[in-house]
Amino acid sequence: MTKKLTCISCPIGCELTVYVEGDDIKVEGNRCPRGFEYAKNEVTNPQRMLTISVKVENGVMDLVSTRTDRPIPKKMLEEAISYIKGLKVQAPIKRGDIIVKDLLNTGANLIATRTVLKK
Ligand code: SF4
């Protein structure tokens, strides 16, 4: 299998070509080793940051914006979204508060990216 990717590990954005044959992975186009790691993860276990709103009770706003503090496996995004949609948190919430610790055992915390005061 051959795959074309753009490395997003730094602003240069090298265009990568990834060759996969069984467990053998070769990468061309990367200017540094981070490009190889990025390409390897993309073809073996792609990860993404998750940004999502969480319902708030007793707050001046009904939702608080959140994000994971590190990428989580792409294959777990759907499960994480449906879990987070079922949550309700109590105001007040401060920017940076941990809303969910170790989200679905991914090692990532879901953190508030804004403050929501109590009504
Ligand atoms: S391969 Fe290295 S230099 Fe190129 S975009 Fe990725 S991190 Fe930046």
Side-chain angles (χ1 to χ4, degrees):
M1 176 187 86
T2 304
K3 203 168 175 181
K4 298 270 185 192
L5 293 172
T6 303
C7 180
I8 57 170
S9 303
C10 90
I12 294 174
C14 295
E15 296 297 325
L16 311 177
T17 308
V18 194
Y19 304 94
V20 184
E21 272 185 43
D23 291 342
D24 196 20
I25 297 171
K26 290 196 177 79
V27 179
E28 286 177 358
N30 54 312
R31 294 189 201 185
C32 77
R34 288 166 67 196
F36 175 79
E37 285 305 315
Y38 172 77
K40 187 176 147 201
N41 285 338
E42 276 301 291
V43 295
T44 56
N45 181 26
Q47 310 247 327
R48 294 289 181 274
M49 297 293 280
L50 174 60
T51 58
I52 187 167
S53 294
V54 177
K55 292 183 197 105
V56 175
E57 282 187 337
N58 301 316
V60 293
M61 298 170 69
D62 294 335
L63 295 169
V64 59
S65 55
T66 68
R67 68 167 171 79
T68 52
D69 61 0
R70 67 180 72 174
I72 65 171
K74 196 175 168 186
K75 62 186 175 201
M76 289 189 70
L77 283 176
E78 214 171 293
E79 184 186 354
I81 289 168
S82 106
Y83 172 73
I84 293 163
K85 279 187 173 172
L87 295 178
K88 276 185 187 165
V89 291
Q90 293 291 323
I93 298 147
K94 277 198 305 228
R95 185 168 186 256
D97 279 357
I98 296 177
I99 305 295
V100 182
K101 196 168 171 55
D102 191 12
L103 177 66
L104 301 176
N105 300 315
T106 57
N109 297 320
L110 187 70
I111 58 170
T113 55
R114 66 170 303 158
T115 294
V116 178
L117 300 174
K118 202 171 172 177
K119 255 194 240 180

